[in-house]
Amino acid sequence: MLRTHTCGELTIADLNKEVTLTGWVQKSRDLGGMTFIDMRDRYGMTQLTFNSDDDAEMRAQARELGREFVIKVSGKVIERSNKNLKMATGEIEIKVSKLELLNPAKLPPFLIEDETDGGDDLRLKYRYLDLRRNPARNNLVLRHKMAQEVRKYLDGMDFIEVETPVLIKSTPEGARDFVVPSRMNPGEFYALPQSPQTFKQLLMVSGFDRYFQIVKCFRDEDLRADRQPEFTQIDCEMAFIEQEDILNVFEGLIRTLFKNVKGVDLAQVPRMQYTDAMRLYGSDKPDTRFDMKFVELNQIVKGKDFPVFDQAELVIGINAKGCAEYTRKQLDELTDFIKRPQIGGTGLIYMRHAADGSLKSSVDKFYNEDDLKKWSEAFNSEPGDLILIMAGQTDRVRKQLNELRLEMGNRLGLRDKDKFAPLWVLDFPLLEWDEDSGRYHAMHHPFTSPKTEDIGMLDTNPGQVRANAYDMVVNGIEIGGGSIRIHDRELQSLMFKHLGFSVEEAQNQFGFLLDAFEYGAPPHGGIAFGFDRLVSIFAGLDSIRDVIAFPKNNSGRDVMIDSPSTIADEQLKELKISTTV
Amino acid sequence: MLRTHTCGELTIADLNKEVTLTGWVQKSRDLGGMTFIDMRDRYGMTQLTFNSDDDAEMRAQARELGREFVIKVSGKVIERSNKNLKMATGEIEIKVSKLELLNPAKLPPFLIEDETDGGDDLRLKYRYLDLRRNPARNNLVLRHKMAQEVRKYLDGMDFIEVETPVLIKSTPEGARDFVVPSRMNPGEFYALPQSPQTFKQLLMVSGFDRYFQIVKCFRDEDLRADRQPEFTQIDCEMAFIEQEDILNVFEGLIRTLFKNVKGVDLAQVPRMQYTDAMRLYGSDKPDTRFDMKFVELNQIVKGKDFPVFDQAELVIGINAKGCAEYTRKQLDELTDFIKRPQIGGTGLIYMRHAADGSLKSSVDKFYNEDDLKKWSEAFNSEPGDLILIMAGQTDRVRKQLNELRLEMGNRLGLRDKDKFAPLWVLDFPLLEWDEDSGRYHAMHHPFTSPKTEDIGMLDTNPGQVRANAYDMVVNGIEIGGGSIRIHDRELQSLMFKHLGFSVEEAQNQFGFLLDAFEYGAPPHGGIAFGFDRLVSIFAGLDSIRDVIAFPKNNSGRDVMIDSPSTIADEQLKELKISTTV
C-alpha cells in the first residue's frame, strides 16, 4: 500500500507515530508561516501542516496544491492546538516531513462538498466527481451493506442464489423488451429479462426449493424521474409453501434489514386487504405513517338537493386534524391541487369544526346544523378539525382523494422520512381491464394463481377474481410484490386463454413452462423487491437515481460515456440488421 | 410450509414423531403386502412405507405413484429393519398414514439419477429436469457457496460491491460486442459490457478505494465447448496500491476459498515471470501440478550434422520419467499427437535411458554415446526415463512441446483433479502482434500500465515492453488476470496512439476516462477472476457449462426456451431497425 493509514483512522492514541497517508486535497489555508491542508479519502479527513520554519521549500510546494490534487505525505502525528471534536481525526494533525504529488487536478466543474453547486446534468456528466461527495458515496456504501445483509439473511434461511440468464427470449406480454440481435442466428434476437420469473419457477420445478438472486432487470419504457431502463431486484421463490410462509420469511427479511442497517426495530407488519386499502386510502399502496382514513358519506349526504352529491357514485372525505383555521387562500390552493390535470378532481367541499365547537361548511345552503353534526360524527371530528370532501365515480374519486390525503400529510408534517410504516396488502385482483387493448391483463403477471374459490368467476366476472398476490408497501411506496404461482398445466393454459393468448401463442412463448408443469411441478410462490427503491427509502431519498452508481437520464442516455451511440457499419453488417431512421 | 421436515433431516433421534414430508418419488418397490417409496427433495431422501394390512386403499394408491410424482405424506417415524447407514436418513422410515398427490408427472425423457442416460442435447432442452439430479444441483450449490465466501472475504477487507451498468457503449477494441438498439434514441445502440473495466477505474477516480462486483459480462464470439456468450466475473479494483498489494489480497481470496469451501490448505502461491513460464513450460498458464520442465539443448545438439537440429531456432525437450519402456506404438502415438493440425509439430526425437543405464536415441546416426551422456546430464535423466525432443521456431516449438508435456502429464496420471497448484505469472508483455490487422494489440487491455523502465522501448521495440500485468493460474488454467492501470492522461493517450487510435477515436470512445484522469486520478490496479471457470475447477469439471444454471449451446442458443427467436414486426418498427437476412 502507498499508505500506512487511511485519512479516517488516526486519533490521539497514535500520537508521535510516523505515518504515510494518501488522498485528495479537500481545501487548504495559510496562516502566517503555516499552510494547513485537509486531505480526504473514502474513510475520512485528516489535517496536514506545513511550516516554513521547518521546510520553506516544501511549504511553498504545499501552497501550490489545488483542490482535488492527489498527494502522498509522510510525517508525524501530533496533537492539534485547535481541536475539532466533531471529526474522528479532529484531535490530531500530521506534521508533514515528506510531500509527493501523485496526480494534479483541474478545477472540478462543481464543488466536491456535501452541499454542491452542481446541477443535475453537470453532475451526471461528471458522475465520477459527483461520487466523490460524501452523500453520494454513502448511498452506494449503504446499498452494498444492504445487499450483504439480504444475502446473509437468505443464505441463513437455506436460500440458494442462482444466476439466471440475461440473454433470454422476447415475449409480447407486459412491458416492452430490450432486444439483442444474434450474429450467430441471423434475423433472430435475444431479449433482456424484465424479471427472471419463468426461470425461477423452473428452478422450483427442479427442486431448488428456495431460490434468490439480486439481479439486474430491464424495461424499455418511457422514463419518468423515478424509472431507469435497468434496475435491480431482490428476486425470490420458494416451493412447498403457502402464502403465509412467504409473508413470514420476507417480513423477516425487511425487519432484519431495518434492524441491522438502520437500527430500527419494526413492529410486526400489519396486513390489509386490497379492497380495504382502496376503500380506506384510495390506493393499493397506502402511506400508513399517518391515519386520516377515508370516510364514506353516501348514507348521510344524499337526498338534500345538493346535486353534486346526489349525482355522485361516491361521496367521500378525510379529516384534516387541526386545520380548521385554514385560510381561504389555503383552501383555494387545495382546490387547485386536486384540479390539476394529473389528478383531475372537479371540486372540494369542506367543513370547519371551529375551536368554539361550531360547524360550518362550504355547502351550508344544502346542509343545516343537524346535517353537519352527522358529518362530524362520521369523521369523529373535534374542535379545530377541517373536513375535506370530494364526490364522483368511485375509483376515480378515491384516487383523487388519495392524492389530497398525501398532500395533507405533507402539509401537516406527517410523512417523516425517519419513520417507517411497512404494510402487507393482500388479495389483489387477478386481472385488470386495459382500456387501450380492450381486454383484461394480468395485474401481477400471467403466472399468478387465482384464489381457488374464485376460479369459477373467470368466465362470469373476471374483474372480481382475486389472486393469491401480495405487495409490501413502506411509507406509501411499493417495495415488493409477489404471488403464489400456478403449478398446473391446465390452469396455466386457462389463464393464457383468458389473457387472450391462442393455444399456439401460449405454446410458442411459454411452452417450456407448460411442459415443465407436466413433469412434477411443486406448489410454489415468491416475491421480488425493488432493490433501488428499497435503498432509496433507507437513504431517505425521493429518487432511485441517487442510489445507482451510473444512472441514465430521462432519455435513457448515459451522458458521461455518451451512450447509446451509433455503431460501425461493419457491426450492423455482421449482425445482419440495418437502421431505418 | 406444507411440510414439517425435509427429506434429509430425520434420524433415529426423531423416532415416533408424527411428521409431514413433501417431495418427488425417486423410486418405488413392492415387497409382499408392502410398498416402499424413496421420496426425494433438495435436502435428501427418505423411505416411505405403505402396508396393505394397515390401509389397503392407500397402499393401492401408493402403487400407482410414478417416478417424479410430487407428493405430500404424513406419518410416524419408525426404525428401519433394514438399515442403510450410507444415507443420513437410512436408519428410519415413515409409516405413512396420509398420502396426498400434489402433482403427477409424465415419465421424464431421461433418468433423474446421479448417472443419467440423457445426452447433452436432451438434458439442455429439459434443463429443469437435469437440474433435479444431485450432481447438477450440487454444482450450483457450490457456486452459491463460493459467491458467498467471495463476498464475505472482500467485504471483510473493506471492498464495496458496486453495480455498474449493463447498457453501456460499444467500443471496437477487443472482442465483439452484443448491441441493444435504443428505441428512445433511434439509430443508436447500447452495448453489453465485456467487462466493467472503465467503470471500475472511474470508481477509483471517485475515491471508492476498494471495489468489487460479481458481475455478468458478454462477448459475441464464436463459441467453443468452454465459452458462453454470457459469463460471470469477480471484478475487483483497488487504489493507492502497488502490484504486491493486489497479489497479496487476491492470493488471500483464493486461499480462503480453498480453505472454507474445499477444506484445502494451500501453501503460499509461487510466482513466475512470464518469460520463465514460456521458457520452462511453453505456456503462460503452466500446469505446475507436475514438474517436467523444458530443457533447452541448442548448446549440446548443434553442429553434429543433424539438419533438423542444426536448422532449428530452438531444440528443446522434456524428461518423461519412467517411460523408457514405451513401445514403438506408444511413441508413434505421441508423434501422431504432436503432428495433429491443431498442434502442428513436425517430428519427435527421443532418447531412452534404459533400466540398465544404456542410452539410445532415435537419431543415433548423428549422436554417439558421449553426446547422449550430455543429453542425459542436461535432463538429469535416470535409468527408466524417456527424453522427448522437438525442434523448430522458438515460439512455435514451445507451444507444441507444451501440448506434449500436458499429454504426458495425463498419461502419467500427474494431473490429479484433487490436487491444486496455483501460480502467479507476472510481467506479461504489454503488446502482442496481431497478424490479421498487422499491428500491435494490447495483450491485456489498453488501460494496462507499462513498466516505467520499459516505456522508452514503446517506439523502438514495442514487443519487448513489459506490463505491470499478472495472471493467476490453477492447474494450467487461467482463473484470473489483472494489471496496474495507467492513471495519467498523457500516458493513456500515448498507449492509444501505439494501439492505432487516432486522437479523435480515442476521445470519442474513451474521452470520459481521459478527462477523468485530469481531475485527480489515484494510482490504481485490479484483477478479474472468471467465476464460472473457478467454480468448475472447484467442482472438478472440465467444462464451465455444468456450473451455469441455464447455459447456451455452441450456437449460442438456449434450446430450452428456444432463444434467440424472431421478434414481432411491430417491435422492429418501434426500434427503427430491420433485418437484412
Side-chain angles (χ1 to χ4, degrees):
Chain A
M1 302 293 300
L2 300 186
R3 64 193 176 214
T4 57
H5 296 78
T6 71
C7 294
E9 65 179 306
L10 294 170
T11 67
I12 203 83
D14 300 295
L15 233 48
N16 293 319
K17 276 190 189 156
E18 288 290 335
V19 299
T20 301
L21 302 183
T22 54
W24 286 262
V25 173
Q26 179 71 29
K27 61 180 180 202
S28 103
R29 63 190 187 284
D30 290 331
L31 201 71
M34 304 272 289
T35 291
F36 296 88
I37 287 182
D38 287 344
M39 181 165 68
R40 183 196 75 231
D41 66 10
R42 168 185 145 195
Y43 308 92
M45 191 107 77
T46 298
Q47 178 165 296
L48 314 176
T49 61
F50 300 84
N51 192 331
S52 283
D53 291 346
D54 296 332
D55 189 335
E57 193 187 338
M58 191 169 69
R59 195 247 164 159
Q61 283 168 13
R63 291 186 74 176
E64 297 298 312
L65 297 173
R67 276 179 180 255
E68 301 306 316
F69 277 44
V70 188
I71 57 173
K72 174 179 167 184
V73 296
S74 298
K76 189 192 277 192
V77 181
I78 60 173
E79 191 165 0
R80 270 207 218 181
S81 54
N82 203 353
K83 292 187 182 177
N84 176 352
L85 297 179
K86 285 185 205 149
M87 279 175 70
T89 63
E91 292 191 89
I92 58 97
E93 61 191 12
I94 310 296
K95 188 175 155 68
V96 178
S97 55
K98 196 173 163 207
L99 165 65
E100 187 182 339
L101 176 62
L102 295 176
N103 219 344
K106 292 204 296 196
L107 193 69
F110 49 83
L111 283 174
I112 310 294
E113 288 180 2
D114 290 6
E115 297 292 331
T116 180
D117 56 349
D120 279 358
D121 291 347
L122 201 60
R123 287 190 295 116
L124 274 181
K125 181 167 164 59
Y126 295 94
R127 180 65 171 158
Y128 51 86
L129 296 179
D130 194 30
L131 286 176
R132 281 191 192 160
R133 300 188 311 108
N134 292 322
R137 194 184 51 245
N138 289 345
N139 290 337
L140 296 190
V141 173
L142 171 69
R143 185 179 180 115
H144 163 69
K145 196 169 175 198
M146 288 176 71
Q148 284 284 116
E149 287 289 338
V150 168
R151 289 194 164 96
K152 204 168 97 187
Y153 175 85
L154 292 174
D155 182 59
M157 304 277 281
D158 275 336
F159 282 77
I160 297 171
E161 186 163 24
V162 179
E163 293 173 58
T164 53
V166 176
L167 296 172
I168 65 165
K169 183 173 173 166
S170 189
T171 55
E173 181 73 4
R176 228 182 261 108
D177 285 323
F178 282 105
V179 298
V180 181
S182 166
R183 182 181 54 86
M184 291 208 279
N185 304 273
E188 298 189 332
F189 294 79
Y190 303 100
L192 304 183
Q194 296 182 29
S195 91
Q197 182 62 33
T198 51
F199 290 98
K200 68 175 173 175
Q201 291 193 242
L202 290 178
L203 287 173
M204 294 304 106
V205 175
S206 297
F208 270 71
D209 205 82
R210 296 179 166 211
Y211 144 93
F212 83 102
Q213 189 182 188
I214 301 183
V215 60
K216 274 279 174 77
C217 300
F218 306 86
R219 263 175 224 176
D220 184 13
E221 290 299 312
D222 296 329
L223 302 174
R224 297 178 308 215
D226 212 16
R227 266 201 199 155
Q228 286 279 317
E230 51 181 297
F231 55 97
T232 303
Q233 281 189 358
I234 307 171
D235 192 52
C236 309
E237 198 81 2
M238 300 173 78
F240 298 116
I241 45 79
E242 294 165 305
Q243 176 170 304
E244 187 63 27
D245 302 305
I246 306 256
L247 300 186
N248 288 335
V249 167
F250 293 98
E251 176 167 336
L253 171 64
I254 295 301
R255 291 173 72 178
T256 301
L257 279 177
F258 270 103
K259 179 73 186 161
N260 294 356
V261 177
K262 287 199 81 73
V264 170
D265 276 304
L266 285 189
Q268 212 186 336
V269 177
R271 299 175 182 193
M272 191 181 291
Q273 290 285 311
Y274 169 86
T275 47
D276 289 335
M278 296 310 289
R279 187 172 53 82
L280 297 172
Y281 299 95
S283 167
D284 59 3
K285 37 181 190 283
D287 185 346
T288 49
R289 277 176 297 186
F290 63 108
D291 197 30
M292 214 187 281
K293 290 197 192 73
F294 292 3
V295 174
E296 301 194 347
L297 300 170
N298 283 14
Q299 302 291 332
I300 301 174
V301 300
K302 295 229 173 191
K304 303 282 175 173
D305 295 330
F306 178 44
V308 172
F309 284 179
D310 281 353
Q311 288 156 21
E313 188 180 355
L314 182 65
V315 181
I316 193 168
I318 51 176
N319 179 352
K321 298 210 67 79
C323 296
E325 300 302 315
Y326 261 36
T327 61
R328 183 75 239 168
K329 181 159 165 283
Q330 285 174 301
L331 289 163
D332 285 347
E333 277 171 13
L334 293 182
T335 305
D336 291 345
F337 175 82
I338 59 116
K339 283 187 172 173
R340 285 158 42 177
Q342 59 268 47
I343 299 180
T346 48
L348 189 62
I349 309 296
Y350 64 84
M351 177 187 82
R352 300 179 195 269
H353 193 148
D356 63 6
S358 67
L359 303 171
K360 183 153 178 45
S361 86
S362 56
V363 284
D364 279 355
K365 206 156 57 160
F366 304 100
Y367 299 93
N368 61 28
E369 207 180 314
D370 279 352
D371 294 328
L372 296 186
K373 269 195 184 136
K374 286 186 191 146
W375 294 21
S376 172
E377 279 161 25
F379 285 100
N380 260 324
S381 76
E382 298 170 308
D385 290 354
L386 174 71
I387 305 299
L388 298 167
I389 300 173
M390 297 174 73
Q393 188 272 331
T394 301
D395 291 349
R396 223 168 296 148
V397 74
R398 280 177 172 165
K399 274 186 195 151
Q400 291 159 358
L401 190 61
N402 166 51
E403 298 290 343
L404 182 63
R405 175 179 175 272
L406 295 177
E407 171 68 13
M408 291 313 298
N410 286 335
R411 285 177 178 241
L412 293 169
L414 300 173
R415 305 182 73 189
D416 178 357
K417 280 193 174 148
D418 293 326
K419 192 177 160 184
F420 299 96
L423 175 74
W424 284 114
V425 180
L426 305 178
D427 297 345
F428 274 72
L430 183 69
L431 303 166
E432 63 183 344
W433 183 255
D434 181 64
E435 294 288 348
D436 291 344
S437 58
R439 62 176 178 88
Y440 280 101
H441 280 231
M443 191 155 187
H444 191 53
H445 54 52
F447 315 107
T448 298
S449 150
K451 286 201 178 285
T452 316
E453 60 268 35
D454 290 2
I455 291 179
M457 284 195 294
L458 269 174
D459 282 315
T460 55
N461 196 354
Q464 285 302 105
V465 175
R466 291 166 305 157
N468 290 313
Y470 32 81
D471 275 0
M472 185 177 269
V473 173
V474 173
N475 294 0
I477 294 164
E478 181 207 325
I479 60 161
S483 63
I484 302 300
R485 326 298 185 186
I486 297 167
H487 64 283
D488 174 86
R489 180 177 182 126
E490 272 185 51
L491 183 55
Q492 186 65 68
S493 297
L494 183 69
M495 268 303 295
F496 283 135
K497 194 188 105 191
H498 279 281
L499 294 170
F501 286 64
S502 72
V503 173
E504 291 72 34
E505 283 167 345
Q507 186 63 33
N508 184 36
Q509 288 164 38
F510 297 110
F512 60 97
L513 189 67
L514 293 169
D515 290 348
F517 285 170
E518 293 193 307
Y519 285 105
H524 62 286
I527 194 166
F529 291 92
F531 188 52
D532 310 288
R533 168 76 55 243
L534 192 60
V535 179
S536 75
I537 289 175
F538 272 61
L541 297 167
D542 292 322
S543 162
I544 62 169
R545 197 184 272 176
D546 291 329
V547 301
I548 294 173
F550 298 100
K552 292 180 177 57
N553 73 9
N554 280 358
S555 317
R557 294 199 72 81
D558 182 329
V559 294
M560 180 185 73
I561 63 171
D562 191 24
S563 164
S565 61
T566 55
I567 58 175
D569 287 343
E570 202 180 303
Q571 282 176 286
L572 294 172
K573 206 176 287 174
E574 274 198 315
L575 294 170
K576 297 210 167 41
I577 59 170
S578 63
T579 62
T580 60
V581 180
Chain B
M1 300 295 300
L2 300 186
R3 65 194 175 212
T4 57
H5 296 78
T6 71
C7 294
E9 65 179 307
L10 294 170
T11 67
I12 202 83
D14 300 296
L15 234 47
N16 294 318
K17 276 190 189 157
E18 289 290 335
V19 300
T20 301
L21 303 184
T22 54
W24 286 263
V25 173
Q26 179 70 30
K27 62 181 180 203
S28 101
R29 63 189 188 285
D30 289 331
L31 202 70
M34 303 272 289
T35 291
F36 297 88
I37 287 182
D38 287 345
M39 181 165 67
R40 183 196 75 230
D41 67 8
R42 168 185 145 194
Y43 308 92
M45 191 107 77
T46 298
Q47 180 165 293
L48 313 176
T49 63
F50 300 85
N51 193 330
S52 283
D53 291 345
D54 296 333
D55 189 334
E57 192 187 338
M58 191 169 69
R59 194 246 166 158
Q61 283 168 13
R63 290 185 74 176
E64 298 298 312
L65 297 172
R67 278 178 181 257
E68 303 305 318
F69 277 44
V70 188
I71 58 174
K72 174 180 167 184
V73 296
S74 298
K76 190 191 276 191
V77 181
I78 60 172
E79 191 165 2
R80 271 208 216 181
S81 55
N82 203 354
K83 292 188 181 178
N84 177 352
L85 296 178
K86 284 185 203 148
M87 278 175 70
T89 64
E91 292 190 89
I92 60 99
E93 61 192 11
I94 311 296
K95 188 175 155 65
V96 177
S97 55
K98 195 173 165 209
L99 165 65
E100 187 182 339
L101 176 61
L102 295 177
N103 218 344
K106 293 203 295 195
L107 193 69
F110 49 83
L111 284 174
I112 309 294
E113 289 181 0
D114 290 7
E115 296 292 329
T116 180
D117 56 348
D120 279 359
D121 291 346
L122 201 59
R123 288 190 292 118
L124 274 181
K125 181 168 165 58
Y126 295 93
R127 180 64 171 160
Y128 50 87
L129 296 179
D130 194 30
L131 286 176
R132 280 191 192 160
R133 301 189 308 110
N134 293 322
R137 194 185 49 247
N138 288 344
N139 290 337
L140 297 190
V141 172
L142 172 69
R143 186 180 179 113
H144 163 68
K145 196 169 176 197
M146 288 176 71
Q148 283 285 116
E149 287 289 338
V150 168
R151 289 194 164 96
K152 204 168 97 186
Y153 175 84
L154 292 174
D155 182 58
M157 304 277 280
D158 275 337
F159 282 77
I160 297 171
E161 187 163 24
V162 180
E163 293 175 56
T164 52
V166 176
L167 297 171
I168 65 165
K169 182 173 174 167
S170 188
T171 55
E173 181 72 6
R176 229 183 259 108
D177 285 323
F178 283 105
V179 298
V180 181
S182 167
R183 182 181 53 87
M184 289 208 278
N185 304 273
E188 299 190 330
F189 294 79
Y190 302 101
L192 303 183
Q194 297 183 27
S195 92
Q197 182 63 33
T198 50
F199 291 98
K200 68 175 172 174
Q201 291 192 243
L202 290 177
L203 287 172
M204 294 305 106
V205 175
S206 296
F208 270 70
D209 206 82
R210 295 178 166 211
Y211 144 94
F212 84 102
Q213 189 181 188
I214 300 184
V215 59
K216 275 277 175 77
C217 300
F218 306 86
R219 262 174 224 177
D220 184 12
E221 290 299 311
D222 296 329
L223 301 176
R224 296 178 309 214
D226 212 18
R227 266 200 199 155
Q228 286 278 317
E230 51 180 297
F231 55 97
T232 304
Q233 282 189 357
I234 308 170
D235 193 52
C236 310
E237 198 81 3
M238 301 173 77
F240 298 116
I241 44 80
E242 294 164 305
Q243 176 169 305
E244 188 63 28
D245 302 306
I246 306 256
L247 300 186
N248 289 334
V249 167
F250 293 98
E251 176 167 335
L253 170 64
I254 295 302
R255 291 173 70 178
T256 301
L257 279 177
F258 270 103
K259 178 73 186 163
N260 294 356
V261 177
K262 285 199 83 72
V264 170
D265 275 305
L266 285 189
Q268 210 186 337
V269 177
R271 299 177 182 191
M272 191 182 292
Q273 291 285 309
Y274 170 86
T275 48
D276 289 335
M278 296 311 290
R279 187 171 54 82
L280 297 172
Y281 299 94
S283 168
D284 58 3
K285 37 180 189 286
D287 184 345
T288 49
R289 278 176 296 185
F290 63 109
D291 197 30
M292 213 187 282
K293 289 196 193 73
F294 292 4
V295 175
E296 302 195 345
L297 300 170
N298 282 16
Q299 300 292 330
I300 300 175
V301 300
K302 294 227 173 192
K304 303 281 176 173
D305 294 330
F306 179 43
V308 172
F309 283 180
D310 281 353
Q311 287 157 22
E313 190 181 354
L314 181 65
V315 180
I316 192 168
I318 51 175
N319 180 353
K321 298 210 68 79
C323 296
E325 300 302 315
Y326 260 35
T327 61
R328 182 75 238 170
K329 181 159 166 283
Q330 285 174 301
L331 288 163
D332 284 348
E333 278 172 13
L334 293 182
T335 305
D336 289 347
F337 175 82
I338 60 116
K339 282 186 172 173
R340 286 159 42 178
Q342 59 268 48
I343 299 182
T346 49
L348 189 61
I349 309 297
Y350 64 83
M351 177 186 83
R352 298 180 198 270
H353 193 149
D356 63 4
S358 68
L359 302 171
K360 182 148 180 46
S361 86
S362 56
V363 285
D364 280 354
K365 204 157 55 158
F366 303 99
Y367 298 93
N368 62 29
E369 209 181 312
D370 278 353
D371 292 329
L372 296 186
K373 270 197 184 135
K374 284 188 193 147
W375 294 21
S376 171
E377 278 161 27
F379 284 101
N380 261 323
S381 76
E382 297 169 309
D385 290 354
L386 174 70
I387 305 301
L388 298 167
I389 300 173
M390 296 176 75
Q393 188 271 332
T394 301
D395 290 350
R396 224 169 293 148
V397 74
R398 281 177 172 165
K399 274 186 194 149
Q400 291 159 359
L401 189 61
N402 166 52
E403 298 290 343
L404 182 62
R405 175 179 175 273
L406 295 177
E407 171 67 14
M408 291 312 299
N410 286 336
R411 287 178 176 241
L412 294 170
L414 301 173
R415 304 182 73 189
D416 178 359
K417 280 194 173 147
D418 293 325
K419 191 176 161 186
F420 299 96
L423 174 74
W424 284 114
V425 179
L426 305 178
D427 297 345
F428 274 73
L430 182 70
L431 303 167
E432 63 184 343
W433 183 256
D434 182 64
E435 292 290 347
D436 291 344
S437 57
R439 62 176 177 87
Y440 280 102
H441 280 231
M443 191 155 187
H444 191 53
H445 54 52
F447 315 108
T448 298
S449 149
K451 285 199 179 285
T452 315
E453 60 268 36
D454 290 2
I455 291 179
M457 283 194 295
L458 269 174
D459 283 314
T460 54
N461 196 353
Q464 287 300 106
V465 175
R466 291 166 306 157
N468 290 313
Y470 31 81
D471 274 2
M472 185 178 269
V473 173
V474 174
N475 295 359
I477 295 164
E478 181 206 325
I479 60 162
S483 63
I484 302 300
R485 326 299 185 185
I486 297 167
H487 64 282
D488 174 87
R489 180 176 183 127
E490 272 186 51
L491 183 56
Q492 187 65 67
S493 297
L494 183 69
M495 270 303 294
F496 284 134
K497 194 187 105 192
H498 278 281
L499 294 169
F501 285 65
S502 72
V503 172
E504 291 71 35
E505 283 168 347
Q507 186 62 33
N508 184 36
Q509 289 165 37
F510 297 111
F512 59 97
L513 188 67
L514 292 170
D515 289 349
F517 286 171
E518 293 193 307
Y519 285 104
H524 62 286
I527 193 165
F529 291 92
F531 188 53
D532 310 288
R533 168 77 54 243
L534 193 59
V535 180
S536 75
I537 289 176
F538 272 61
L541 297 168
D542 292 322
S543 163
I544 63 170
R545 198 183 272 175
D546 291 330
V547 301
I548 294 174
F550 299 100
K552 294 180 176 58
N553 73 8
N554 280 358
S555 317
R557 293 200 74 80
D558 182 327
V559 294
M560 180 185 74
I561 63 171
D562 191 24
S563 164
S565 61
T566 54
I567 58 174
D569 287 342
E570 202 179 302
Q571 282 176 287
L572 293 172
K573 206 177 287 174
E574 274 199 314
L575 295 170
K576 296 207 167 44
I577 58 170
S578 64
T579 62
T580 60
V581 182

